[in-house]
């Protein structure tokens, strides 16, 4: 007969942390949020450590290249979504890797025969004020000039004016040859007091740009996630169907870590995928797996060779797996059981396999609860979908500014590779996700900093300066439904923020 677990599965919202003793050194500025991303052996250092315990979900509405760059700049990493062609995903990864290298491929390109109207339209589309003018109007064409905002005055010019009449021509530009180092390029920028430096191949074709603003940005972001070549670290989602085609392209593009994206990971398909990667690349290619919700699922993936294991089924804000298929588990209960299995596995084998809590995060303090329960980091979708850098459109709905947000199991995503169970048809049999909106929240940097401040403050309340110390010292208590209500503002008439002085 079926096995029954006659205890309720709990969510994060049903727990609170009980404060512990805090010494004088327990102040947020002393707290480290560093945490391992991939497995390591006892006594060794992980190959990749996160500066903040947050990664973005493998979703079309979340992990595009802009968000990947900004999140890596601020200490986390993104997993570029896999619900696109292998070639397109690899190209996105390559562009993220090129950003930090300082040599940025131009995405604003026109020919000398274009007009001021074309310049203005392109600026509106990309948000970039520097436009490369090449003979054929492509990013790799022969450079003939540049147009920046100081080259034109809309009020004094006609929109039909040809680019050739107002661009800064090549013979007036400071350029560099392909092969120059980033340090040498930055020296040229500073010595010549210029904002951008075109880098050209020997035949005059454009390779890319080095921008002064990027140099300034690097200095302002000390927690950047960088590889050995000082490029941004970025992950990529894969599936258990086309991995033989997709993985080599992603590895060649520079992906630092892969993750099998599936609604349910306790599957022979995932073991087969991991085995293929290990046979071809050994341990050089890092790959996470999931999702699971219990001890058996974790042990299966850990023994299959996963570099980290994702926990969570049906807890995401746009996920309807539980109501569609009747599978899943309360996220807090799942994390607690899996992390206990992780610790026992470490004691038995000397191999520490990080646990990623994926889903169920409604409030910022839920992240701290997940960490206290044993998770090494969390994967977030809705949280990051709200920001400027996510790839979805910003709209106004009912007077509220929102961003579009849809699940990978929705018909809109058409991510058959994530959900197909061997039927063979490249289409979804039914939906496991919805199409929705989330309130627009602004820039990633400011929001992430605020969230990290909350996590650090709570850790100090628990007397912990590191995540492992939090997991050792944390005291958690279940709360009643009445207590949950009591925990928020109640029995008062709240003022409207716009009316406050």
């Amino acid at each position: 007969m079926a096995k029954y677990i006659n205890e309720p599965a709990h969510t994060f919202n049903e727990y609170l942390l009980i404060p512990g003793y805090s010494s004088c050194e327990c102040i947020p500025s002393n707290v480290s949020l560093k945490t391992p991303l991939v497995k390591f052996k006892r006594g060794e250092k992980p190959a990749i450590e996160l500066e903040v315990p947050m990664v973005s979900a493998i979703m079309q509405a979340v992990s595009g290249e802009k968000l990947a760059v900004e999140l890596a700049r601020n200490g986390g990493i993104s997993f570029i979504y896999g619900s696109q062609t292998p070639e397109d995903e690899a190209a996105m990864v390559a562009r993220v890797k090129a950003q930090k290298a300082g040599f940025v491929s131009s995405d604003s390109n026109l020919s000398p025969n274009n007009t001021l109207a074309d310049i203005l339209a392109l600026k509106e589309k990309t948000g970039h004020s520097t436009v490369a003018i090449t003979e054929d109007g492509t990013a790799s064409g022969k450079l003939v000039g540049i147009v920046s905002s100081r080259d034109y005055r809309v009020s004094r010019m006609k929109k039909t004016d040809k680019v050739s009449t107002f661009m800064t021509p090549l013979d007036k530009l400071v350029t560099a040859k392909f092969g120059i180092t980033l340090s040498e390029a930055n020296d040229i920028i500073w010595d010549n007091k210029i904002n951008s430096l075109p880098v050209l191949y020997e035949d005059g074709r454009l390779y890319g740009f080095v921008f002064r603003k990027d140099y300034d940005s690097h200095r302002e972001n000390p927690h950047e996630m960088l590889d050995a070549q000082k490029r941004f670290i970025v992950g990529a989602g894969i599936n258990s169907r086309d991995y033989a085609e997709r993985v080599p392209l992603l590895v060649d593009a520079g992906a630092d870590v892969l993750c099998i994206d599936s609604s349910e990971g306790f599957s022979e398909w995932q073991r087969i995928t991991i085995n293929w990667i290990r046979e071809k690349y050994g341990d050089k290619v890092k790959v996470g797996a999931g999702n699971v919700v219990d001890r058996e699922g974790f042990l299966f993936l850990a023994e299959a060779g996963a570099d980290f294991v994702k926990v969570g089924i049906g807890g995401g804000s746009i996920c309807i797996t539980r109501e569609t298929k009747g599978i899943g588990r309360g996220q807090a209960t799942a994390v607690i059981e899996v992390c206990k299995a992780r610790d026992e596995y470490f004691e038995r084998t000397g191999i520490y396999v990080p646990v990623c809590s994926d889903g169920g995060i409604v409030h910022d303090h839920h992240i701290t609860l997940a960490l206290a329960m044993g998770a090494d980091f969390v994967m977030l979708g809705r949280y990051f979908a709200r920001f400027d850098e996510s790839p979805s459109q910003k709209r106004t709905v009912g007077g509220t500014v929102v961003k579009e947000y849809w699940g990978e199991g929705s018909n809109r995503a058409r991510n058959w590779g994530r959900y197909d169970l061997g039927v063979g048809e490249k289409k979804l049999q039914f939906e496991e996700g919805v199409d929705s909106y989330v309130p627009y929240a602004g820039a990633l940097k400011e929001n992430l900093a605020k969230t990290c401040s909350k996590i650090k403050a709570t850790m100090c309340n628990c007397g912990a300066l590191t995540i492992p110390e939090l997991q050792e010292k944390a005291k958690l208590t279940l709360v009643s439904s009445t207590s949950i209500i009591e925990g928020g503002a109640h029995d008062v008439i709240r003022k409207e923020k716009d009316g406050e002085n």
Side-chain angles (χ1 to χ4, degrees):
M1 63 181 293
K3 178 181 179 180
Y4 291 90
I5 300 175
N6 292 315
E7 297 177 1
H10 299 287
T11 67
F12 292 132
N13 214 41
E14 296 175 80
Y15 283 90
L16 287 175
L17 282 158
I18 298 174
Y21 168 73
S22 299
S23 67
C24 291
E25 66 176 358
C26 278
I27 56 176
S29 60
N30 287 339
V31 173
S32 169
L33 295 180
K34 277 194 173 183
T35 190
L37 177 70
V38 295
K39 70 181 178 184
F40 59 94
K41 294 180 180 178
R42 183 182 285 114
E44 296 182 357
K45 187 177 180 180
I48 305 175
E49 284 185 296
L50 296 165
E51 292 289 334
V52 299
M54 286 171 268
V55 302
S56 67
I58 311 169
M59 302 176 70
Q60 292 176 6
V62 179
S63 293
E65 59 197 85
K66 288 183 179 179
L67 191 127
V69 167
E70 190 63 15
L71 184 51
R73 185 174 283 138
N74 288 279
I77 74 162
S78 290
F79 284 85
I80 300 295
Y81 63 90
S83 49
Q84 56 181 319
T85 68
E87 292 79 10
D88 287 345
E89 186 182 9
M92 291 183 75
V93 168
R95 288 193 292 271
V96 173
K97 300 301 289 186
Q99 285 283 332
K100 178 59 190 181
F103 300 102
V104 181
S105 298
S106 178
D107 66 353
S108 297
N109 312 284
L110 292 172
S111 76
N113 292 323
N114 284 106
T115 65
L116 176 59
D118 296 323
I119 291 285
L120 298 176
L122 188 59
K123 183 178 179 181
E124 176 69 20
K125 177 182 177 182
T126 66
H128 299 155
S129 58
T130 299
V131 179
I133 309 303
T134 59
E135 286 183 344
D136 59 3
T138 68
S140 58
K142 193 169 184 178
L143 188 71
V144 294
I146 283 178
V147 172
S148 65
S149 55
R150 64 185 179 185
D151 289 317
Y152 57 88
R153 296 277 183 88
V154 176
S155 61
R156 299 183 182 180
M157 297 171 60
K158 297 177 181 179
K159 291 188 177 181
T160 55
D161 288 349
K162 290 287 187 69
V163 167
S164 58
T165 65
F166 60 86
M167 71 181 186
T168 300
L170 182 61
D171 60 3
K172 300 292 185 182
L173 295 173
V174 177
T175 64
K177 291 183 178 180
F178 175 71
I180 191 173
T181 67
L182 183 58
S183 177
E184 291 169 338
N186 283 321
D187 286 342
I188 293 174
I189 287 174
W190 283 97
D191 290 344
N192 291 274
K193 297 180 174 60
I194 55 178
N195 292 321
S196 62
L197 178 69
V199 180
L200 309 179
Y201 291 110
E202 287 290 340
D203 60 2
R205 290 181 300 111
L206 180 63
Y207 168 67
F209 283 91
V210 177
F211 292 100
R212 179 172 180 165
K213 63 180 178 61
D214 289 339
Y215 176 80
D216 294 337
S217 174
H218 303 334
R219 295 180 61 188
E220 295 169 2
N221 297 285
H223 297 302
E224 290 177 322
M225 291 292 296
L226 307 176
D227 65 17
Q229 287 76 46
K230 305 297 183 183
R231 302 174 301 175
F232 286 125
I233 289 178
V234 62
I238 62 173
N239 61 63
S240 58
R241 297 294 178 264
D242 66 3
Y243 55 84
E245 176 188 0
R246 188 176 297 267
V247 170
L249 293 177
L250 294 173
V251 172
D252 289 345
D256 298 277
V257 57
L258 307 175
C259 184
I260 304 172
D261 185 28
S262 173
S263 63
E264 202 285 298
F266 195 173
S267 162
E268 186 66 16
W269 295 111
Q270 295 220 0
R271 192 208 301 267
I272 292 169
T273 303
I274 295 171
N275 284 345
W276 185 90
I277 292 172
R278 292 287 174 254
E279 289 173 3
K280 186 172 179 63
Y281 298 102
D283 291 327
K284 292 181 180 180
V285 172
K286 307 301 180 184
V287 55
N291 286 21
V292 297
V293 292
D294 62 4
R295 171 189 177 85
E296 289 79 8
F298 169 83
L299 291 175
F300 173 81
L301 292 177
E303 290 165 359
D307 284 292
F308 65 85
V309 172
K310 283 205 296 159
V311 177
I313 295 176
S317 60
I318 42 70
C319 183
I320 56 172
T321 294
R322 294 180 189 176
E323 62 183 84
T324 301
K325 296 169 64 177
I327 64 169
R329 199 176 196 186
Q331 188 68 5
T333 299
V335 168
I336 291 169
E337 180 173 320
V338 168
C339 289
K340 182 179 179 182
R342 184 266 324 275
D343 293 342
E344 293 171 352
Y345 184 79
F346 178 55
E347 288 300 314
R348 177 166 57 86
T349 66
I351 300 173
Y352 188 92
V353 181
V355 168
C356 168
S357 177
D358 178 18
I361 302 295
V362 180
H363 306 292
D364 285 354
H365 76 270
H366 290 169
I367 299 174
T368 317
L369 286 168
L371 297 174
M373 291 171 182
D376 296 280
F377 57 98
V378 298
M379 178 172 277
L380 303 162
R382 182 192 61 85
Y383 178 88
F384 288 114
R386 304 173 299 147
F387 301 150
D388 287 320
E389 295 83 1
S390 73
S392 65
Q393 294 295 314
K394 188 165 60 175
R395 301 185 182 278
T396 300
V397 177
T400 300
V401 181
V402 298
K403 294 203 77 176
E404 295 180 310
Y405 180 46
W406 60 95
E408 288 298 290
S410 66
N411 274 325
R412 179 171 180 175
R414 301 187 183 279
N415 190 359
W416 68 273
R418 186 179 199 266
Y419 294 89
D420 175 58
L421 297 178
V423 176
E425 298 181 27
K426 293 188 177 183
K427 64 179 182 179
L428 292 175
Q429 303 302 307
F430 50 84
E431 288 188 286
E432 292 187 45
V434 301
D435 201 342
S436 65
Y437 299 110
V438 289
Y440 168 66
L444 180 149
K445 185 179 182 68
E446 289 75 16
N447 282 279
L448 186 65
K450 183 182 290 187
T451 298
C452 289
S453 293
K454 293 178 183 177
I455 296 171
K456 290 180 178 182
T458 305
M459 288 173 63
C460 287
N461 293 147
C462 297
L465 295 177
T466 66
I467 292 173
E469 191 175 9
L470 173 67
Q471 293 165 348
E472 179 184 345
K473 293 183 175 181
K475 291 186 290 183
L476 294 125
T477 181
L478 273 169
V479 295
S480 67
S481 57
T482 304
S483 180
I484 293 172
I485 295 172
E486 181 185 69
H490 60 90
D491 300 315
V492 295
I493 300 173
R494 299 186 67 165
K495 294 181 180 179
E496 293 294 333
K497 289 186 178 181
D498 291 341
E500 292 181 358
N501 295 321

